[in-house]
Each structure stands twice: as C-alpha cells, then as structure tokens.
Amino acid sequence: MKKLIYLDNAATTRTSDEVVEAMLPYFGTYYGNPSSIYDFSAESKQAITDAREQIAQVLGAKKEEIYFTAGGSESDNWAVKATLEAYASKGNHIITTKIEHHAMLHTCEYLEKVRGAKITYLNVDENGLVSPEDVRRAITPETILISVMFANNEIGTIEPIREIGEIAHEKGILFHTDAVQAFGQVPINVDEMHIDMLSSSAHKINGPKGIGFLYIRKGVRIRSFIHGGAQERKRRAGTENVPGIVGYGVAARRAAETMEERAAKEIAVRDHMISRILNEIPYSRLNGDPVRRLPNNVNVSMEFIEGESMLLMLDSLGVCASSGSACTSGSLDPSHVLLAIGLPHEKAHGSLRMTLSQETTLEDADFVVDHLKEIVENLRAMSPLYEDFIKKNR
Ligand SMILES: *Cc1c(COP(=O)(O)O)cnc(C)c1O
C-alpha cells in the first residue's frame, strides 16, 4: 500500500490510540446506564464527571457549564435556535458572519424563513477577519445574540473573539462562538473572552466522532434542545454516549497539554509549505490571514485550474486534501468563504486546503509540494484559460 499523507485534519482527525484505549472499558466492562442507581453504574457516572471536569479546565469554565451533545452541528443548532426561543420577548435579531460553517449558516437561514428571525451576516476583510466595529454597528435594540466563529475551518483565520465578546457584554447581548476548529488548538478562556456559549466537537481534536459539547455560561436562559430524560441537567435528554464522552475528555486534556509544542511543530511545516508554494508555483496565492491563522492550515488558490482536478491527482498519490469549491463535496458552487474574502469565482475554484497534524513531516510537505508543482503545470498545459492568458501577456 502506498503511504497515506493525510492533510484533511480540518475535516476530521485520527482518533488517537490513547483515546481509543481509554474508551474501550466503557463498551464491554462498565456499560451501566449512568442514570441508574445501583453501584455498577457509578463507574459510568464518574467517568462522565471526570470528562466534564477535564473539558471545563481547558476553557476556564465550571464543569456544570459543559453540556454534551452529538457534535459541533448539534451544538451550533442548539445555541441559535434555543436562544431565539428563550429571548423572544427581547427581540429576534441575530448577528453572525458570512464565513460561518454551514451548521450555523443553514440554521440561520432556516430561522429567517420559518421563524421570521432577522439575521445580519457580516462581511469580512480580504483575510477573512471580522471587524469588531462592524459588530458594534450592527447591534439594534432587538439584537439577542452575536455568533462569530473562533477560527474558520476553510482558511484558518482566527477571529478577534475577545474584542467582539467585550462589545457584546458591554451591550448586554449574548455571545456564542463556534470553536470547533479552535478548541484544543489555541488558548481559550471563556471569562477573559466574554464567551457565553461555545460549540466544540471531539473528532476535530483526535477524539471520537459523534460527540461534542455546548458550553453554556451559568445564568444564560437557554431552552432544552432535546426533550426527554433528565440528562445534562435536563437540557439535553438521551442516555449519555459514555465511551464518547470519556474519549473526548482524554482528547481535550491531551490537546491542551501538547498545544504549544504541537503548534510550533505544525507552524514550521505549514510555513515551509506556504512559502515553497508561493515561491515556486506562479500565479498562486495564500487565502486567509498570514499571521492570525490556525497552526495547521494551508489554503492556496492556483489560477487557471480546478481544485477538483488537483484533488484527484493528489489522491492518486495517496494525499488527502480538500478543495474550497466543494467543501461539502457534491456541490460545485465555489466556497462561500472564498467568495466572502473577495476571490472571483475562477480563483475560488482553483483552491486547495491542506490541514496538517503533528505527524505531518517536512518530508511529507516536500513530497506534496514537489508533486503539486508538476500537477499544476500539467493542468495548466491543458487549460484554455491559461493559454489565453499567456498569449495576451506575452
Ligand atoms: C466540523 C465543524 C462543524 C461540525 O461539527 P460536527 O461535529 O461534524 O457536527 C461545525 N463548525 C466548524 C467550524 C467545523 O469545522
């Protein structure tokens, strides 16, 4: 089998061996329902408490403020839908951005259509940054929620969360952040950053799939999302995913412990890759902020070619990457994020996202860039757009 070079860690990550090992006893040995009162279930109940504690610590939160969900999408849905319900007497205006994940955008579009919510989708600058002053200007007496993602999943831009949180709290408005790409990758403190609600998902930080949490600050009046049993302080019913929760706790603790070292490693490989691409491939550009950027994100556009073609050719070499034109593969629309930073359709179509892990080596990076140069050259040789361009510019 050829070597797999997995550069799609923004889509999902490998569940680490340590996490799998920690989870295993909660399938076959301690399988008791945490809600049951006999002694056998105490182990499962305790395991949930421990994981909640581990996660709360990473955020500077209290463990009672962590509510387990089935993942990032559920947490985003919950935060927005339940806030709109609970604060209906105050207003129905929500401020968010054009570059949110679809879990947020499609939820907002649904609420506009079905519940008559008023949503402001803020523009971003050419690097994908939201301006805190734009947030301030968008606030109306009806605004009940500001939701801005912590870090963008496509271009890796890290938003000025603290500044936006300050404005929200100064105006007495709830502040939610989709931190699925940021939790465990960059330092977060919910108090210092004035965050009231925060979404996260285990499978983006070497935990298992299908488990996430919503942090809800104590005192926030938010409705239950799933009605039923009394789990999660009656706010999210359903028998807990005990193995998933255990795995999440371990993944969160590990991510926090190794954060600095991992970031340094990834940044070195990331910047090597970016500078080689920009220097060695003509008509290429970096998407996203060069500095305020997730340590593992490389997102580049190559003019005159299709991202999809690059992906297929990389795939044949055992390289897993992603393109901006089909984040939700199957759609041919260019990425809403790349359009929001002002890329014209042609450039957005030629984009490539490569998201590293701490296991990605400089050799992997060189292998990918060496082949990418060749791939781009070959595709351009077949591109009528490129031929026209060269003729015109000769
Ligand atoms: C992956 C992702 C989600 C969705 O998380 P799931 O656990 O897959 O539902 C939401 N927001 C962002 C920014 C993401 O990267």
Side-chain angles (χ1 to χ4, degrees):
M1 204 176 97
K2 65 184 170 234
K3 187 185 171 200
L4 182 77
I5 300 185
Y6 183 77
L7 300 181
D8 205 12
N9 287 280
T12 197
T13 58
R14 191 175 97 83
T15 311
S16 73
D17 297 342
E18 189 188 353
V19 166
V20 172
E21 223 165 274
M23 290 170 72
L24 284 176
Y26 294 91
F27 289 102
T29 309
Y30 307 116
Y31 54 85
N33 189 319
S35 300
S36 304
I37 56 160
Y38 33 78
D39 204 36
F40 175 55
S41 280
E43 182 71 32
S44 340
K45 195 186 266 172
Q46 187 57 45
I48 294 177
T49 306
D50 293 347
R52 216 188 288 284
E53 180 70 50
Q54 285 169 330
I55 287 169
Q57 260 179 25
V58 178
L59 290 174
K62 300 181 199 64
K63 68 178 188 316
E64 304 77 39
E65 296 174 314
I66 304 298
Y67 296 83
F68 289 110
T69 65
S73 300
E74 182 184 320
S75 299
D76 285 346
N77 270 262
W78 184 7
V80 183
K81 289 177 178 166
T83 302
L84 190 71
E85 271 184 29
Y87 289 79
S89 62
K90 187 185 171 203
N92 66 348
H93 179 234
I94 294 169
I95 299 170
T96 186
T97 80
K98 287 192 176 154
I99 62 163
E100 299 296 311
H101 189 273
H102 282 143
M104 180 59 59
L105 285 181
H106 289 167
T107 302
C108 287
E109 285 161 17
Y110 165 80
L111 292 172
E112 266 179 311
K113 228 187 254 168
V114 177
R115 306 264 193 86
K118 293 199 200 91
I119 318 269
T120 300
Y121 301 93
L122 295 175
N123 286 316
V124 294
D125 74 4
E126 68 279 7
N127 289 338
L129 284 166
V130 176
S131 144
E133 280 314 305
D134 285 354
V135 174
R136 188 191 292 280
R137 272 191 291 271
I139 294 171
T140 75
E142 255 86 70
T143 308
I144 53 168
L145 179 69
I146 296 169
S147 178
V148 175
M149 71 196 318
F150 206 112
N152 184 268
N153 48 300
E154 291 188 36
I155 57 175
T157 300
I158 300 172
E159 300 298 342
I161 290 302
R162 182 195 309 259
E163 290 82 346
I164 296 170
E166 268 169 21
I167 293 170
H169 280 190
E170 184 190 306
K171 302 277 182 187
I173 298 167
L174 292 181
F175 180 42
H176 165 257
T177 184
D178 173 343
V180 175
Q181 292 290 336
F183 178 74
Q185 311 283 5
V186 295
I188 302 180
N189 182 294
V190 287
D191 288 339
E192 286 168 17
M193 296 176 169
H194 307 277
I195 296 166
D196 296 306
M197 288 181 277
L198 177 145
S199 306
S200 163
S201 181
H203 74 100
K204 303 287 175 84
I205 56 160
N206 303 105
K209 292 168 183 59
I211 181 79
F213 71 79
L214 181 64
Y215 157 81
I216 308 174
R217 179 178 294 283
K218 195 162 174 263
V220 170
R221 275 188 292 131
I222 180 177
R223 299 277 163 93
S224 309
F225 191 55
I226 308 268
H227 300 272
Q231 293 91 352
E232 301 301 290
R233 303 161 70 81
K234 295 198 186 142
R235 281 177 153 177
R236 202 281 188 181
T239 301
E240 297 88 339
N241 173 357
V242 182
I245 289 170
V246 168
Y248 203 174
V250 174
R253 179 171 49 77
R254 278 303 285 166
E257 282 167 3
T258 60
M259 190 184 289
E260 257 179 68
E261 179 197 348
R262 197 158 31 97
K265 234 180 192 174
E266 289 175 354
I267 286 172
V269 180
R270 175 195 77 184
D271 290 349
H272 174 73
M273 223 171 166
I274 292 174
S275 80
R276 273 203 67 193
I277 292 172
L278 298 183
N279 285 324
E280 298 177 36
I281 304 183
Y283 312 112
S284 62
R285 60 160 274 150
L286 176 69
N287 298 316
D289 197 280
V291 182
R292 294 188 57 103
R293 185 178 196 92
L294 287 173
N296 73 339
N297 179 290
V298 177
N299 188 315
V300 285
S301 287
M302 314 289 180
E303 271 188 75
F304 316 112
I305 53 179
E306 294 286 330
E308 251 70 333
S309 324
M310 281 190 278
L311 283 191
L312 290 176
M313 295 179 130
L314 287 170
D315 184 28
S316 71
L317 297 163
V319 178
C320 306
S322 149
S323 93
S325 46
C327 168
T328 44
S329 280
S331 127
L332 279 178
D333 294 336
S335 133
H336 63 285
V337 177
L338 297 177
L339 296 181
I341 61 172
L343 285 200
H345 278 244
E346 326 76 86
K347 285 190 194 173
H349 270 303
S351 76
L352 184 66
R353 179 188 74 182
M354 295 178 280
T355 40
L356 324 176
S357 76
Q358 58 186 329
E359 269 117 60
T360 312
T361 62
L362 280 173
E363 288 71 37
D364 294 338
D366 281 329
F367 175 87
V368 172
V369 178
D370 289 343
H371 283 89
L372 191 58
K373 280 168 70 174
E374 232 172 83
I375 290 170
V376 170
E377 214 168 283
N378 291 340
L379 288 172
R380 280 182 182 161
M382 297 186 287
S383 156
L385 285 172
Y386 188 60
E387 203 180 324
D388 280 356
F389 173 83
I390 294 298
K391 267 191 208 144
K392 274 193 210 125
N393 288 275
R394 216 178 350 235

